């Protein structure tokens, strides 16, 4: 489904991604694990078209994404739950969801049923649909960011640290929702610092360190690897 | 004696509404373009000048039908708005926003020069839509054109607010002004939105020129002062807020009208320039406080 080939990105002289190759197959949840500054956000921003790569290619199915304008990519099936959520703060929950469907505005009739589905996934959003996005709690805002991404009827959702700053209970709610989304046929690339939570729901995972993929494998393999346990799962005591 | 005071009041209110409508059309336009691009467009008054001059020559001098003249004026202004969009977008990728702002001042001066060549430097006007006979209320006299100005402006601004709040295109414009990167991610084409904001601003300015020229006359150099008035009103209300721009425009028009009524018309421009200095110094977010950032900063997150 999503295929990154030898992708390199640099900001000026600083190289943020170095020859990263990564694949996400249809129906998978793939975790992208790494600490702050490892390049997770850069990878997602590059897929979204917000950062131009210096080398490499990105394919969505057969389409070369780098030849598509950033604003065309939502219509092609890529949705992003960005770092820090990036909601339209001053607008209502309902408006945020409607704008999520901007790329699908030709299919207006589907919007209401799509929104109902998101309300079923996150009932809190339905209760607060007329409230401004910025007045909600962090967890609710994260739900809205995911809901907004789903409104574009994506094939794949790229999530940038959906667990950041949230209480463990809220994190598990959100990760449950991700599992439910996958059950409905969605593909997910999940960039996370929270390795334990993301490896629990992921099928496969990549470890990103200083812009390079240093490990990859099934979630089970990575969970059992000494290095991952030591660096990302809080010590290898067990 | 009391009727004299009452008529003075009616006169002040009507003048405030008429002048305020003109300022509001410009202020809302300035605010729209600022929201979409972060640029203060000091060529905003040229929309007014171009439409007023076009109708004055086609309808006023050459005797074309009013509707045809208005249609041509709208086309001229839309073309000019597209040109300004192109100029500012090309430059915005290369220079700072302050640089682009200065370019809009340059564009305004160039437009004045070109207009003075195409037409001349004299003042122009054309016949009001509903004749010259003033309507009398007590001792106050109201030009029928003033009612046109207030009415059409009210419809335009109400329509714009509806557009921004209720249509997908309007919501997309607001989304772009709140967060361009997030807007891009949901598939909103930012460049098209910028063009739309210039187009709408241009149309508002054009409506202003067409409505007010019969009452206030127009010349090739009218635009800059109007742009400053609009900018002041938008800043006073809170840059980026449509109701704020409307409120700021009415407030400035009121202060101006009272100054002229009580004092002398020699002081007419004094309050605007006093207000702009005070607002920029002490109230950079304006009264309604449009944007969250203080002053004229605008973070463009699509650029790295």
């Amino acid at each position: 489904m999503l295929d990154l080939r030898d992708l390199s990105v640099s900001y000026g002289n600083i190289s943020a991604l170095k020859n990263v190759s990564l694949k996400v197959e249809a129906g998978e949840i793939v975790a992208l694990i790494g600490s702050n500054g490892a390049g997770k956000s850069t990878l997602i921003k590059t897929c979204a078209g917000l950062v131009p790569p210096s080398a490499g290619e990105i394919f969505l199915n057969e389409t070369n994404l780098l030849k598509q304008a950033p604003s065309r990519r939502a219509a092609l099936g890529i949705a992003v739950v960005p770092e820090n959520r990036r909601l339209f703060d001053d607008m209502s929950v309902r408006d945020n969801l409607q704008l999520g469907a901007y790329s699908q505005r030709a299919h207006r009739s589907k919007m209401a049923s799509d929104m109902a589905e998101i309300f079923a996934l996150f009932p809190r959003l339905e209760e607060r649909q007329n409230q401004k996005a910025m007045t909600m709690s962090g967890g609710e805002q994260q739900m809205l960011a995911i809901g907004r991404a789903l409104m574009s009827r994506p094939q794949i959702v790229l999530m940038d640290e959906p667990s950041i700053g949230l209480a463990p209970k809220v994190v598990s709610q959100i990760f449950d929702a991700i599992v439910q989304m996958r059950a409905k046929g969605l593909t997910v690339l999940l960039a996370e610092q929270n390795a334990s939570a993301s490896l629990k729901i992921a099928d496969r995972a990549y470890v990103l360190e200083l812009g390079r993929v240093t490990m990859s494998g099934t979630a089970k393999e990575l969970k059992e690897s000494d290095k991952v346990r030591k660096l990302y799962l809080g010590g290898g005591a067990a | 004696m009391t009727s004299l005071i009452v008529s003075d009041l009616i006169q002040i209110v009507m003048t405030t509404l008429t002048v305020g409508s003109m300022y509001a059309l410009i202020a809302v336009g300035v605010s729209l373009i600022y929201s979409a691009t972060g640029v203060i467009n000091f060529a905003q008054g040229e929309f007014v000048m171009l439409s007023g001059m076009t109708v004055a020559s086609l309808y006023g001098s050459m005797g074309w039908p009013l509707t045809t003249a208005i249609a041509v004026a709208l086309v001229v202004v839309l073309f000019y708005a597209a040109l300004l969009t192109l100029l500012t977008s090309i430059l915005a990728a290369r220079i700072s926003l302050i640089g682009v702002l200065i370019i809009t001042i340059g564009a305004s001066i160039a437009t004045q020069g070109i207009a003075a060549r195409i037409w001349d430097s004299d003042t122009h006007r054309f016949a009001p839509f509903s004749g010259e006979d003033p309507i009398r209320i007590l001792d106050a006299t109201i030009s029928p054109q003033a009612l046109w100005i207030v009415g059409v402006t009210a419809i335009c601004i109400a329509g714009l607010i509806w557009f921004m709040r209720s249509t997908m295109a309007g919501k997309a414009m607001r989304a772009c002004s709140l967060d361009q990167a997030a807007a891009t991610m949901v598939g909103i084409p930012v460049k098209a939105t910028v063009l739309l904001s210039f187009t709408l601003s241009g149309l508002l300015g054009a409506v202003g020129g067409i409505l007010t020229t019969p009452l206030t006359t127009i010349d090739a150099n009218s635009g800059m002062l109007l742009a400053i008035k609009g900018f002041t009103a938008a800043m006073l209300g809170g840059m980026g807020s449509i109701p704020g721009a409307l409120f700021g425009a009415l407030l400035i028009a009121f202060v101006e009208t009272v100054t002229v009524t009580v004092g002398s018309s020699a002081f007419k421009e004094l309050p605007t320039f006093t207000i702009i200095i005070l607002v920029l110094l002490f109230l950079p977010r304006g009264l309604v406080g449009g944007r969250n950032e203080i002053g004229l900063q605008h973070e463009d997150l699509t650029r790295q």
Side-chain angles (χ1 to χ4, degrees), chain B residues 47-74 76-77 119 124-127 129 206-207 209-211 213-214 218:
Chain B
F47 296 133
V48 180
M49 183 276 288
L50 285 173
S51 70
M53 293 293 266
T54 305
V55 177
S57 52
L58 295 182
Y59 168 68
S61 310
M62 295 161 69
W64 289 28
L66 180 61
T67 45
T68 320
I70 288 176
V72 173
L74 292 179
V76 167
V77 167
W119 291 284
H124 295 257
R125 78 184 284 260
F126 49 89
F129 304 160
V207 167
I210 294 163
L211 289 170
T213 301
I218 198 107

Side-chain angles (χ1 to χ4, degrees), chain A:
Chain A
M1 161 123 359
L2 185 69
D3 190 359
L4 278 62
R5 299 177 192 166
D6 289 321
L7 197 67
S8 296
V9 177
S10 36
Y11 300 115
N13 291 326
I14 302 155
S15 159
L17 287 181
K18 293 166 204 156
N19 299 315
V20 170
S21 292
L22 178 153
K23 264 189 185 179
V24 185
E25 303 293 347
E28 275 189 316
I29 298 179
V30 171
L32 182 62
I33 296 164
S35 55
N36 247 337
K40 305 187 299 295
S41 294
T42 301
L43 188 147
I44 287 182
K45 280 184 191 163
T46 311
C47 293
L50 300 179
V51 178
S54 48
E57 287 174 315
I58 305 175
F59 280 87
L60 177 70
N61 301 323
E62 301 308 311
T63 314
N64 185 345
L65 271 192
L66 296 177
K67 291 195 172 144
Q68 301 291 330
S71 62
R72 282 271 308 137
R73 296 186 194 186
L76 289 169
I78 285 211
V80 182
V81 179
E83 189 181 17
N84 302 325
R85 309 186 269 267
R86 306 291 288 261
L87 296 171
F88 304 118
D89 281 341
D90 201 34
M91 299 174 80
S92 71
V93 168
R94 178 169 273 277
D95 282 350
N96 270 274
L97 290 174
Q98 277 179 8
L99 284 166
Y102 185 86
S103 61
Q104 303 295 315
R105 64 197 181 288
H107 315 283
R108 245 173 200 232
S109 50
K110 291 178 188 152
M111 206 190 276
S113 65
D114 286 357
M115 209 181 282
E117 234 174 276
I118 287 160
F119 287 156
L121 193 63
F122 299 119
R124 295 300 288 274
L125 294 183
E126 183 164 25
E127 291 163 28
R128 300 181 178 237
Q129 54 178 303
N130 295 318
Q131 210 169 309
K132 278 190 182 178
M134 63 182 167
T135 63
M136 301 200 301
S137 73
E140 289 162 349
Q141 289 191 16
Q142 194 62 59
M143 292 171 194
L144 180 54
I146 295 172
R148 182 178 68 179
L150 293 178
M151 284 298 286
S152 67
R153 307 188 139 237
Q155 301 183 48
I156 180 166
V157 181
L158 315 180
M159 298 195 185
D160 197 347
E161 302 239 20
S163 79
I164 201 161
L166 302 181
K169 198 179 145 195
V170 185
V171 172
S172 68
Q173 253 179 53
I174 285 182
F175 278 43
D176 284 349
I178 296 173
V179 173
Q180 283 181 51
M181 282 153 51
R182 189 261 294 273
K184 287 186 182 165
L186 202 70
T187 307
V188 179
L189 176 65
L190 178 63
E192 264 297 346
Q193 282 193 59
N194 186 340
S196 60
S198 49
L199 286 177
K200 249 180 237 163
I201 64 165
D203 303 303
R204 288 191 305 116
Y206 291 81
V207 176
L208 204 57
E209 283 176 287
L210 297 173
R212 288 179 197 277
V213 172
T214 52
M215 288 179 79
S216 64
T218 64
K220 189 163 175 284
E221 281 164 12
L222 288 189
K223 255 188 284 189
E224 286 163 3
S225 109
D226 288 340
K227 188 178 171 190
V228 170
R229 277 160 59 169
K230 195 162 154 232
L231 287 176
Y232 300 103
L233 297 174

Side-chain angles (χ1 to χ4, degrees), chain B:
Chain B
M1 198 60 203
T2 46
S3 86
L4 204 65
I5 292 168
V6 173
S7 346
D8 277 349
L9 277 178
I10 295 172
Q11 198 80 63
I12 287 176
V13 168
M14 268 320 289
T15 310
T16 299
L17 286 176
T18 314
V19 177
S21 296
M22 177 71 253
Y23 294 169
L25 288 171
I26 301 171
V28 170
V30 168
S31 212
L32 270 180
I33 290 177
Y34 174 77
S35 288
T37 63
V39 170
I40 304 284
N41 175 28
F42 276 101
Q44 193 70 24
E46 308 312 317
F47 296 133
V48 180
M49 183 276 288
L50 285 173
S51 70
M53 293 293 266
T54 305
V55 177
S57 52
L58 295 182
Y59 168 68
S61 310
M62 295 161 69
W64 289 28
L66 180 61
T67 45
T68 320
I70 288 176
V72 173
L74 292 179
V75 170
V76 167
V77 167
L78 286 181
F79 182 72
Y80 182 72
L83 213 63
L84 267 185
T85 316
L86 199 66
L87 180 72
T88 51
S89 338
I90 291 172
L91 288 170
R94 290 174 175 72
I95 58 177
S96 69
L97 289 176
I98 290 293
V100 181
L101 181 153
I102 291 165
I103 295 294
T104 67
I105 298 177
S108 164
I109 294 168
T111 311
Q112 289 170 35
I114 293 167
R117 292 284 297 187
I118 295 176
W119 291 284
D120 47 41
S121 300
D122 300 335
T123 54
H124 295 257
R125 78 184 284 260
F126 49 89
F129 304 160
S130 311
E132 309 266 8
D133 299 334
I135 301 161
R136 293 194 147 272
I137 301 173
L138 299 175
D139 282 328
T141 56
I142 294 156
S143 151
Q145 191 67 22
L147 299 179
W148 275 101
I149 294 172
V150 176
V152 175
T153 302
I155 291 167
C156 284
I157 291 179
L160 184 70
I161 290 175
W162 172 83
F163 173 80
M164 297 296 279
R165 296 213 170 139
S166 310
T167 68
M168 197 63 155
K171 286 176 188 176
M173 276 181 78
R174 284 164 62 206
C176 267
S177 78
L178 290 168
D179 190 333
Q180 291 197 351
T184 305
M185 285 188 251
V186 299
I188 299 168
V190 174
K191 279 181 187 158
T193 311
V194 168
L195 179 63
L196 180 61
S197 73
F198 270 90
T199 304
L200 289 173
S201 292
L203 286 176
L204 290 174
V207 167
I210 294 163
L211 289 170
T212 58
T213 301
L215 208 60
T216 58
T217 74
I218 198 107
D219 64 70
N221 301 317
S222 299
M224 185 49 94
L225 183 61
L226 288 170
I228 292 171
K229 297 275 174 72
F231 165 67
T232 308
M235 278 302 288
L236 177 62
M239 194 54 84
S241 151
I242 297 176
L246 180 62
F247 180 64
L250 289 171
L251 199 59
I252 287 178
F254 176 72
V255 176
E256 251 184 47
T257 309
V258 172
T259 309
V260 173
T261 313
V262 179
S264 140
S265 58
F267 297 132
K268 181 166 175 267
E269 313 304 350
L270 187 64
T272 308
F273 290 93
T274 312
I275 289 172
I276 192 59
I277 291 167
L278 293 177
V279 168
L280 287 173
L281 280 176
F282 301 113
L283 204 67
R285 286 167 69 165
L287 294 170
V288 182
R291 305 183 64 87
N292 293 325
E293 304 103 87
I294 291 169
L296 299 175
Q297 304 147 8
H298 188 89
E299 188 192 7
D300 186 348
L301 295 150
T302 55
R303 267 177 236 135
Q304 290 278 342

